[in-house]
């Protein structure tokens, strides 16, 4: 049963009989009616005579479903759903209140807008509103709505920019023309790709047309009035992913991004503050113009900016220094004017504050008077003569006046507190200023005393230098007058000769010492050669002794070699290795032994351990174990046996 439509006495979704409408006049021959799809069919035979006024009647052949014209309400409902005025078989209007301008009966909801002749598709339906689907009649086929009690058909996630839909469940005899006829009401169709397996893909011109096409999902399609299985099917409409749609959507997104960037750029340019006007280059003519502007109060700021730019550019030189000095002097002349203006504004502000304070105090006095009036009226002498409403109004007015008075009083007290704080700040500033002035005076006095002291010291140094110069001049004069000048020169010559002789002796001694050093170097080289020869001889002797010790195990020959354990560290290693090999009676490889020793000390070398064990032949013995590829050298502890031998 469909919401929004009056109930028909038959179910068109469960009717498989062909429905044909004719225009020729003739009797209506109803034969059967299928009620609710699950009940047994009841055939009714009824014949109607042709109308006397020869009006056009609706004929159905013997195979068609029957309409009980005895029920005028059902007949009117069916004709209203088909978009026709509700007329009887003879042409008379069944319901007189039918409005042809509205195209519907009073109290009957509107027909589906997808019926032929209307050429429009319903607008998007809110998700919370139940969708009412009606029968859709096309030229070559009929679409029957699905059961409203069933859940809506499932759809996949909508791809971005989707303009293509997948349509499945098409009739086997369905053609591309029928597909166009059904779906062209949803919008302009760009392309159709039909498959031999009863499905197709339809690409629309716009995205919103896809939503209209999804409206048809779940409808049962029937070609003409045929009941053949190949002429029926159940439509399934779903979103389809197409490369063209994705490409167009990406192009659109890029275009929107470009527009957004352009809009932001324009907004930034609009909000950007205007650039300052360019500053002219320095010249004598421009300098004179700027100097005149500096004298004018209205053009002072512009001229000062130009002057600052010129100085920062480095336009000041010896030729233009006087012009710049005059402009700086003109700028300095405005300092007094600015100070006077500031003082005038401060005076105006103080006067305005004083006026505001006086006005506020006057307002407070008036508020006090009004509150006093309310309080006097609240006394029993006058209060008893007022009515209840008057007393209520007076009390409310009194509260309001007191609140406003308190607010203004707090404001006035705040102003007075601020003035007191300003006064205290001024006093603190004055005291700090006086202290600073006193400290600056003391510092200036100390600096002046330092300068005087330095100047006096420099004068004293100058006097001393002059005195020394005078003494030197007097000494020269006395020397010139001295008769013993020749004797002094002789003494000096003798002293120089003695120094020369001494220098010659020192040079000779230096040469002797160099010769001795050369001899010592030669002796050293000879000694080094002798040491090398001795080392070689010692190595040869040790090799011979080792060979002889390997040939015979006699203890006397081994005693010639000396003690095999050279240090306490080697003795500790011997003890640790002996303990380790005693635990391993079958022996262990040198790598296994060294891996155990490296846990105790990382500096232990494999070659040192092996040489130490090879020197102690009565304590450790090396044996070959294994056969073939598994041949391995293992060290064993033989100290107990060696103890008996030694």
């Amino acid at each position: 049963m469909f919401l929004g439509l009056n109930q028909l006495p038959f179910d068109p979704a469960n009717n498989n009989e062909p429905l044909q409408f004719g225009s020729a006049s003739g009797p209506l021959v109803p034969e059967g009616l299928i009620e609710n799809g699950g009940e047994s069919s009841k055939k009714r035979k009824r014949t109607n005579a042709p109308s006397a006024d020869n009006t056009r009647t609706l004929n159905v052949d013997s195979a068609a479903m029957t309409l009980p014209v005895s029920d005028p309400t059902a007949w009117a409902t069916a004709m209203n759903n088909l978009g026709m005025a509700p007329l009887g078989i003879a042409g008379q209007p069944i319901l007189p209140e039918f409005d042809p301008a509205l195209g519907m009966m009073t109290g009957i909801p509107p027909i589906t807008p997808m019926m032929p002749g209307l050429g429009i598709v319903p607008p998007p339906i809110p998700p919370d509103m139940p969708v009412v689907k009606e029968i859709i009649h096309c030229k070559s086929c009929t679409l029957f709505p699905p059961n409203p009690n069933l859940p809506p058909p499932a759809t996949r996630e909508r791809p971005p920019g989707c303009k293509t839909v997948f349509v499945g469940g098409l009739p086997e005899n369905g053609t591309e023309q029928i597909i166009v006829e059904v779906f062209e009401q949803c919008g302009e169709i760009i392309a159709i790709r039909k498959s031999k397996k009863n499905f197709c893909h339809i690409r629309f011109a716009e995205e919103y047309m896809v939503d209209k096409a999804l409206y048809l999902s779940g409808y049962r399609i029937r070609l003409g009035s045929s009941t053949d299985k190949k002429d029926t099917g159940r439509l399934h409409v779903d979103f389809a992913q197409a490369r063209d749609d994705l490409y167009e959507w990406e192009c659109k997104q890029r275009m929107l991004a470009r527009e957004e960037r352009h809009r932001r750029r324009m907004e930034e340019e609009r909000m950007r503050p205007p650039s300052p006007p360019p500053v002219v280059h320095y010249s004598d003519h421009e300098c004179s113009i700027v100097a005149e502007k500096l004298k004018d109060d209205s053009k002072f700021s512009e001229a000062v900016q130009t002057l600052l730019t010129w100085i920062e550019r480095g336009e000041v030189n010896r030729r233009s220094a006087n012009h710049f000095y005059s402009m700086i002097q003109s700028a300095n002349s405005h300092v007094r004017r600015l100070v006077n203006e500031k003082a005038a504004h401060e005076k105006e502000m103080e006067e305005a504050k004083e006026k505001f304070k006086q006005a506020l105090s006057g307002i407070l006095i008036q508020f006090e008077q009004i509150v006093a009036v309310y309080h006097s009226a609240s006394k029993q002498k006058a209060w008893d003569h007022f009515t209840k409403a008057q007393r209520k109004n007076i009390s409310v007015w009194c509260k309001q006046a007191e609140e406003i008075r308190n607010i203004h009083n707090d404001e006035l007290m705040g102003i007075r507190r601020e003035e007191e704080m300003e006064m205290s700040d001024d006093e603190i500033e004055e005291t700090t200023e006086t202290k600073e002035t006193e400290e600056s005076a003391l510092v200036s006095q100390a600096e002046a005393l330092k300068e005087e002291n330095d100047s006096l010291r420099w004068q004293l140094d100058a006097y001393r230098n002059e005195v020394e110069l005078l003494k030197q001049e007097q000494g020269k004069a006395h020397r010139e007058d001295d008769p013993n000048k020749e004797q002094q020169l002789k003494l000096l010559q003798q002293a120089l000769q003695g120094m020369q002789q001494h220098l010659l002796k020192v040079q000779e001694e230096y040469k002797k010492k160099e010769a001795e050093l050369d001899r010592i170097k030669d002796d050293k080289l000879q000694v080094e050669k002798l040491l090398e020869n001795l080392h070689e001889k010692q190595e040869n002797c040790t090799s011979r002794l080792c060979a002889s010790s390997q040939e015979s195990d006699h203890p006397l020959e081994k005693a010639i070699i000396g003690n095999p354990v050279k240090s306490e560290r080697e003795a500790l290693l011997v003890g640790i290795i002996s303990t380790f090999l005693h635990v391993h009676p079958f022996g262990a490889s040198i790598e296994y032994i060294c891996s155990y020793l490296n846990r105790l000390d990382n500096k232990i070398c494999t070659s040192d351990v092996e040489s130490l064990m090879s020197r102690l032949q009565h304590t450790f013995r090396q044996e070959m174990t294994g056969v073939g590829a598994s041949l391995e050298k293992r060290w064993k502890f033989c100290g107990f046996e060696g103890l008996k031998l030694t």
Side-chain angles (χ1 to χ4, degrees):
M1 194 61 60
F2 304 105
L3 299 175
L5 285 177
N6 294 332
Q7 182 177 356
L8 291 174
F10 65 94
D11 187 6
N14 297 322
N15 181 42
N16 295 323
E17 297 296 328
L19 179 62
Q20 298 179 358
F21 297 97
S23 61
S25 60
L28 178 65
V29 186
E31 288 187 355
L33 175 66
I34 301 173
E35 296 180 357
N36 299 328
E39 300 179 359
S40 62
S41 302
K42 297 180 180 180
K43 295 186 178 180
R44 298 181 183 180
K45 298 289 181 111
R46 184 185 179 93
T47 57
N48 290 335
S51 59
D53 52 358
N54 294 326
T55 56
R56 300 181 73 183
T57 59
L58 189 64
N59 297 336
V60 181
D61 52 4
S62 60
M65 67 182 88
T66 60
L67 294 177
V69 296
S70 60
D71 188 357
T73 304
W75 178 257
T77 302
M79 296 190 71
N80 178 72
N81 291 341
L82 294 175
M84 299 186 299
L87 300 175
I89 297 299
Q92 73 277 10
I94 296 176
L95 297 177
E97 67 270 19
F98 178 76
D99 189 358
L102 298 176
M104 64 184 77
M105 292 186 299
T106 307
I108 298 177
I111 60 175
T112 174
M114 292 195 66
M115 296 190 69
L118 297 178
I120 60 173
V121 179
I125 300 171
D128 55 347
M129 183 180 294
V131 179
V132 179
K133 294 186 177 182
E134 303 291 344
I135 301 174
I136 301 172
H137 297 276
C138 300
K139 294 179 182 179
S140 305
C141 61
T142 307
L143 300 177
F144 296 98
N147 189 353
N149 297 325
L150 296 176
T155 58
R156 62 179 292 180
E157 185 180 357
R158 181 168 189 158
C162 180
K163 296 182 183 179
T164 306
V165 294
F166 166 82
V167 182
L170 294 172
E172 293 185 11
N173 295 334
T175 60
E176 187 173 337
Q177 183 179 0
I178 293 173
I179 297 170
V180 172
E181 183 181 347
V182 173
F183 286 94
E184 69 181 354
Q185 302 175 75
C186 302
E188 182 184 354
I189 296 174
I190 301 298
I192 296 177
R193 294 189 296 274
K194 188 175 182 303
S195 175
K196 296 179 181 179
K197 296 183 179 181
N198 302 332
F199 70 88
C200 69
H201 289 85
I202 303 173
R203 189 165 188 262
F204 292 99
E206 299 295 337
E207 293 183 24
Y208 69 89
M209 299 175 183
V210 174
D211 299 325
K212 297 179 180 181
L214 290 176
Y215 178 81
L216 299 176
S217 184
Y219 269 81
R220 190 168 64 85
I221 184 171
R222 187 174 69 184
L223 304 181
S225 58
S226 175
T227 59
D228 192 1
K229 188 176 181 181
K230 295 184 178 181
D231 294 334
T232 60
R234 188 171 297 277
L235 298 179
H236 173 69
V237 185
D238 197 357
F239 299 109
Q241 190 169 5
R243 289 192 297 270
D244 297 340
D245 298 343
L246 183 61
Y247 175 72
E248 290 182 2
W249 180 78
E250 289 177 349
C251 292
K252 187 177 180 181
Q253 293 299 317
R254 286 195 291 270
M255 182 184 70
L256 293 174
R258 286 195 298 271
E259 291 178 356
E260 180 66 18
R261 287 196 299 271
H262 178 70
R263 187 188 64 77
R264 288 182 181 177
R265 194 180 300 113
M266 295 298 292
E267 187 69 18
E268 290 176 358
E269 290 178 358
R270 188 177 65 82
M271 298 299 292
R272 187 182 298 135
S275 301
V279 179
V280 296
H281 292 281
Y282 175 79
S283 64
D284 294 338
H285 176 66
E286 294 294 338
C287 180
S288 61
I289 293 172
V290 171
E292 292 296 329
K293 287 182 179 179
L294 285 171
K295 296 175 183 177
D296 191 358
D297 296 344
S298 60
K299 301 177 181 179
F300 174 72
S301 59
E302 180 184 354
V304 165
Q305 187 63 34
T306 305
L307 176 61
L308 177 63
T309 306
W310 283 350
I311 293 172
E312 289 178 351
R313 284 179 182 174
E315 301 288 349
V316 183
N317 50 34
R318 288 187 179 180
R319 189 176 64 83
S320 61
N322 294 329
H323 297 292
F324 276 99
Y325 179 77
S326 62
M327 287 189 288
I328 294 168
Q329 191 175 6
S330 300
N332 186 45
S333 64
H334 287 270
V335 174
R336 186 177 296 175
R337 174 181 65 81
L338 295 174
V339 171
N340 293 333
E341 287 181 1
K342 181 188 175 187
H345 288 304
E346 288 179 351
K347 187 176 180 182
E348 290 177 0
M349 187 176 67
E350 293 295 334
E351 291 176 355
K353 282 184 179 180
E354 193 65 29
K355 287 180 181 179
F356 175 71
K357 194 163 54 174
Q358 291 176 1
L360 192 59
S361 60
I363 291 168
L364 284 173
I365 291 168
Q366 293 178 11
F367 269 114
E368 292 290 346
Q369 293 173 355
I370 293 169
V371 172
V373 169
Y374 290 142
H375 285 304
S376 61
S378 300
K379 292 180 180 179
Q380 190 174 4
K381 190 184 293 183
W383 189 254
D384 295 338
H385 299 286
F386 295 117
T387 62
K388 190 173 183 180
Q390 291 173 348
R391 291 175 184 176
K392 187 176 181 181
N393 290 336
I394 290 169
S395 61
V396 170
W397 294 339
C398 183
K399 287 181 181 178
Q400 291 178 354
E402 286 178 351
E403 289 177 358
I404 297 170
R405 181 198 62 184
N406 293 333
I407 291 169
H408 286 286
N409 194 9
D410 293 340
E411 189 174 357
L412 183 61
M413 293 301 293
I415 292 170
R416 288 178 180 173
R417 273 193 232 100
E418 288 179 358
E419 289 180 352
E420 290 176 358
M421 290 175 67
E422 288 178 358
M423 291 289 290
S424 62
D425 292 338
D426 293 338
E427 290 176 359
I428 292 167
E429 288 177 358
E430 287 177 359
T431 54
T432 53
E433 286 177 358
T434 53
K435 288 181 181 179
E436 288 178 357
T437 52
E438 290 176 358
E439 290 177 357
S440 62
L442 292 172
V443 170
S444 61
Q445 288 178 3
E447 290 178 353
L449 290 172
K450 284 182 181 179
E451 289 178 357
E452 290 179 359
N453 190 13
D454 292 337
S455 63
L456 290 172
R457 189 172 65 245
W458 293 338
Q459 290 176 5
L460 182 61
D461 293 338
Y463 290 146
R464 285 177 180 173
N465 293 331
E466 290 178 358
V467 170
E468 288 179 357
L469 289 171
L470 290 172
K471 285 181 179 180
Q472 289 177 1
E473 289 177 356
Q474 289 177 0
K476 287 180 181 179
H478 288 299
R479 286 171 186 172
E480 289 177 356
D481 297 336
D482 193 358
N484 298 325
K485 184 177 181 181
E486 293 180 356
Q487 293 179 359
Q488 291 177 356
L489 290 173
K490 288 180 180 179
L491 291 171
L492 290 172
Q493 288 177 356
Q494 290 175 1
L496 288 172
Q497 289 176 359
M499 291 175 68
Q500 288 177 356
Q501 290 175 0
H502 181 68
L503 182 61
L504 291 171
K505 289 179 181 179
V506 169
Q507 287 179 354
E508 289 177 357
E509 290 178 357
Y510 178 72
K511 289 179 180 178
K512 289 179 181 179
K513 287 181 179 180
E514 283 184 349
E516 290 178 359
L517 184 62
D518 293 336
R519 284 197 299 274
I520 290 168
K521 286 180 179 179
D522 295 336
D523 296 339
K524 185 179 179 181
L525 292 172
Q526 291 177 0
V527 169
E528 287 178 355
K529 289 180 180 179
L530 291 172
L531 286 172
E532 288 178 358
N533 294 328
L534 288 172
H535 282 300
E536 290 177 357
K537 290 179 180 178
Q538 187 177 1
E539 288 177 358
N540 294 329
C541 292
T542 54
S543 61
R544 291 174 184 172
L545 289 172
C546 290
S548 62
S549 64
Q550 288 178 359
E551 290 175 358
S552 63
D553 296 331
H554 200 273
L556 294 175
E557 293 179 354
K558 288 184 179 179
I560 297 170
I561 299 171
N563 191 8
V565 180
K566 298 179 181 179
S567 62
E568 186 179 358
R569 178 182 175 82
E570 290 185 353
L572 290 171
L573 286 174
V574 169
I576 293 167
I577 294 168
S578 302
T579 307
F580 179 77
L581 292 177
H582 183 65
V583 176
H584 296 78
F586 296 104
S589 63
I590 189 65
E591 289 82 7
Y592 187 24
I593 296 168
C594 290
S595 65
Y596 175 74
L597 294 175
N598 284 330
R599 294 181 183 179
L600 304 175
D601 189 1
N602 295 329
K603 298 179 181 179
I604 295 173
C605 183
T606 307
S607 59
D608 296 340
V609 174
E610 191 173 6
S611 64
L612 177 62
M613 295 174 71
S614 62
R615 290 201 301 269
L616 301 171
Q617 295 182 1
H618 290 288
T619 308
F620 306 107
R621 182 172 68 252
Q622 189 176 19
E623 295 180 354
M624 303 295 290
T625 59
V627 179
S630 62
L631 193 64
E632 184 181 9
K633 292 181 180 180
R634 290 194 177 187
W635 289 89
K636 291 185 179 181
F637 178 72
C638 58
F640 298 111
E641 299 172 1
L643 184 64
K644 296 176 182 178
L645 295 174
T646 57

